[in-house]
Amino acid sequence: MDTLNRLDDFDVRILKILERDGRIAFSAIATELEVSNTMVHQRVTRLLDQGLLLGVRPVLNEKALGYDWGAFTGITLEKDGDSQRVIEELKKIPEVTECYFITGNYTLYIKLVAKNHEHMRQVLYEKIDTIPGIAKTDSIIELGCAFKRNIIL
């Protein structure tokens, strides 16, 4: 079944409110939508159980936390069969914030953050490039995020 077919008007309205403020109380959502707290709780629980809502968590401002440098790095593996093991090693590196399977010249594409250029060099050369199975990395330094959002319902 198509994901959007599983969402009714109340689900979409709840998701839009949570997108606006993930910390909002269910009672405030219920008041805004003129429904019961129980209905909001049940709907959010169902959206979580169905995997349509992956959670509600804070979005950290990396720059405000001192991570002024960011990079997107393509990773070429010696063998594509090593991908799961390499991913597990990448998960151990706190500066790696995202990891994607992609098509094209690379097997994996990661987003990483660092406090300065020396920290970036250390992450790339001393943490990532030393993972067994990685043949090559190719990084592009990011200069700032123009925007980032969820899909618009």
Side-chain angles (χ1 to χ4, degrees):
M1 176 184 276
D2 184 10
T3 301
L4 288 178
N5 291 337
R6 292 187 276 170
L7 298 175
D8 66 15
D9 182 55
F10 280 110
D11 294 331
V12 171
R13 290 170 66 193
I14 289 168
L15 289 171
K16 285 181 177 182
I17 293 168
L18 288 172
E19 174 71 15
R20 193 175 65 223
D21 179 5
R23 299 181 311 159
I24 192 168
F26 287 172
S27 60
I29 297 172
T31 300
E32 185 173 332
L33 298 180
E34 299 178 342
V35 297
S36 70
N37 289 353
T38 301
M39 180 182 174
V40 172
H41 184 269
Q42 289 172 341
R43 293 295 183 108
V44 170
T45 299
R46 182 175 51 80
L47 291 168
L48 287 164
D49 290 346
Q50 290 179 338
L52 298 174
L53 181 62
L54 296 177
V56 181
R57 58 186 175 181
V59 177
L60 301 179
N61 182 340
E62 295 158 347
K63 302 244 185 258
L65 292 169
Y67 291 83
D68 289 330
W69 283 61
F72 297 96
T73 300
I75 298 175
T76 304
L77 300 180
E78 292 171 1
K79 294 183 287 186
D80 285 344
D82 289 340
S83 62
Q84 210 46 51
R85 187 184 47 72
V86 170
I87 290 167
E88 291 306 313
E89 292 301 313
L90 290 168
K91 285 179 182 179
K92 296 175 185 176
I93 302 171
E95 295 90 349
V96 176
T97 59
E98 299 175 48
C99 180
Y100 299 91
F101 292 105
I102 61 168
T103 62
N105 295 330
Y106 310 109
T107 306
L108 301 170
Y109 207 68
I110 62 172
K111 169 79 178 4
L112 60 103
V113 296
K115 294 182 177 185
N116 52 47
H117 74 278
E118 179 60 23
H119 185 204
M120 180 68 71
R121 186 197 64 73
Q122 289 173 340
V123 172
L124 285 169
Y125 295 153
E126 297 173 19
K127 293 182 178 183
I128 294 172
D129 284 348
T130 61
I131 296 173
I134 292 182
K136 178 185 167 196
T137 61
D138 186 15
S139 296
I140 300 168
I141 301 299
E142 63 104 341
L143 299 175
C145 181
F147 72 89
K148 186 175 181 176
R149 64 178 176 207
N150 285 322
I151 187 77
I152 298 172
L153 298 175

